[in-house]
């Protein structure tokens, strides 16, 4: 499996240390999955590709820049894509804030943040209940399998700043979701093919704002 990470060596400081931490995280996730429904019941045997590599494919889109980066992940669930990214970017000045309403999942997220000494803050609440001042400036938003784009945009816009950007995992319905979102939202978008899902894309969203 370490071979899967070699493509990301320009974006991580230590390939072998990252692989060891990712492998340990995978083990912990499987252990917690036995008592909590952190990911789909059908997928634990394929966690590496369907969840971990699916998350890490954002690394080239984030890029190798060593400038501080403040990431907000909404609807974090079992920690994807935020936790694999936080592990891979551990040596860089990147901080993560995770919003998740399920208290049991938040317990897992906090346990992993402690276990791997990650710069992660977890907010146990609904997205619409979070005070944007509590979050502060956001450089990058991530979200995976949370909500249709029109609703997702309404979540993001409360925290959106002039320099914000979003990298959103979307499935085969992404085209229809974009068409629906166009009625209420203006934005710039790049549709990038997923490296793990032949029907999926990563939407790179910038300049998000409501239509007047």
């Amino acid at each position: 499996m370490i071979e899967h990470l070699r493509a990301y060596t320009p974006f991580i400081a230590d390939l072998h240390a990252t692989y060891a931490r990712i492998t340990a995280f995978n083990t912990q996730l499987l252990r917690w999955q036995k008592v909590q429904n952190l990911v789909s019941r059908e997928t634990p045997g394929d966690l590496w590709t369907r969840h971990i590599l699916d998350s890490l494919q954002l690394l080239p889109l984030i890029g190798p820049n060593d400038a501080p980066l403040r990431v907000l992940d909404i609807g974090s669930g079992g920690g994807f894509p935020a936790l694999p990214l936080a592990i891979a970017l551990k040596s860089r000045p990147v901080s993560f804030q995770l919003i998740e309403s399920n208290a049991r999942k938040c317990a897992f997220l906090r346990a992993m943040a402690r276990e791997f000494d990650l710069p992660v803050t977890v907010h146990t609440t609904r997205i619409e209940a979070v005070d944007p001042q509590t979050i502060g400036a956001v450089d990058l938003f991530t979200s995976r399998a949370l909500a249709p784009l029109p609703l997702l945009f309404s979540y993001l816009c409360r925290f959106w700043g002039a320099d914000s950007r979003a990298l959103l995992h979307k499935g085969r319905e992404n085209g229809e979701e974009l068409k629906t979102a166009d009625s209420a939202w203006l934005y710039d978008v790049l549709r990038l093919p997923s490296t793990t899902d032949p029907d999926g894309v990563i939407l790179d969203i910038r300049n998000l704002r409501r239509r007047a």
Side-chain angles (χ1 to χ4, degrees), residues 104-165:
R104 289 187 176 185
K105 290 180 179 179
C106 286
F108 169 75
L109 299 175
R110 291 191 179 97
M112 294 304 98
R114 291 192 300 270
E115 175 84 13
F116 298 102
D117 191 24
L118 302 176
V120 167
T121 301
V122 180
H123 304 270
T124 308
T125 186
R126 296 181 63 81
I127 298 160
E128 56 269 34
V130 178
D131 183 349
Q133 292 186 350
T134 301
I135 301 298
V138 177
D139 301 308
L140 176 67
F141 295 88
T142 57
S143 184
R144 184 174 178 262
L146 175 63
L149 277 176
L151 179 56
L152 190 53
F153 284 169
S154 73
Y155 292 151
L156 299 184
C157 77
R158 299 180 61 243
F159 310 96
W160 198 274
D163 298 320
S164 295
R165 174 191 182 202

Side-chain angles (χ1 to χ4, degrees), residues 9-104:
T9 50
F11 314 106
I12 54 180
D14 187 323
L15 173 65
H16 292 279
T18 299
Y19 173 70
R21 288 191 291 264
I22 290 286
T23 302
F25 167 71
N26 185 68
T27 299
Q28 289 282 15
L29 181 62
L30 287 171
R31 182 172 68 84
W32 281 69
Q33 176 71 9
K34 292 177 181 179
V35 295
Q36 293 190 31
N37 187 24
L38 296 171
V39 296
S40 171
R41 293 292 187 189
E42 292 77 22
T43 61
D46 194 29
L47 283 174
W48 186 262
T49 298
R50 187 163 179 178
H51 296 290
I52 293 175
L53 290 181
D54 191 51
S55 300
L56 294 179
Q57 68 175 304
L58 298 188
L59 286 172
L61 305 179
I62 294 172
N65 194 332
D66 283 330
L69 184 70
R70 296 158 297 193
V71 182
L72 177 60
D73 183 76
I74 64 172
S76 299
F80 301 102
L83 290 183
L85 290 174
I87 291 171
L89 297 171
K90 184 174 170 60
S91 64
R92 290 170 53 180
V94 183
S95 61
F96 291 79
Q97 298 197 63
L98 281 55
I99 301 176
E100 170 56 47
S101 62
N102 184 297
R104 289 187 176 185

